[in-house]
Amino acid sequence: MARKNHLLPCVKATGWDTTPAGRKKRTYDKPRTPYQRLIDTGTLDEQTHTRHRPNTPPSTPPNLPEPSPTSKPNSSTWPQPAPAAPARQPDPRGHFM
């Protein structure tokens, strides 16, 4: 049995449609999580609904200070490039190892 993450949105097939060329094409609804689909049915009572409500992040981001337009990122915090690999030297017979 396949496992399913009930907090990731997925689409469900709703039917078939015909293209202008006459071919059949599958139609899907909008992406929704299985949890959202369950809530939409209205089968859960309020106690179960509040107990199983997922921890969703707040809709507004925290108040962060705005960066000043004249400030530059600190170059010491930038990732430094990796050191260049040493040049390969042949062994006495002229072979590279």
Side-chain angles (χ1 to χ4, degrees), residues 15-27:
W16 293 91
D17 198 9
T18 307
T19 64
R23 295 181 180 260
K24 287 190 174 184
K25 182 175 106 174
R26 197 76 163 151
T27 57

Side-chain angles (χ1 to χ4, degrees), residues 58-97:
S59 59
T60 57
N63 293 330
L64 299 175
E66 290 291 324
S68 65
T70 59
S71 67
K72 293 183 179 179
N74 186 355
S75 63
S76 65
T77 60
W78 288 8
Q80 299 298 322
R88 294 176 49 190
Q89 298 294 326
D91 63 0
R93 295 179 290 168
H95 297 280
F96 287 97
M97 294 284 183

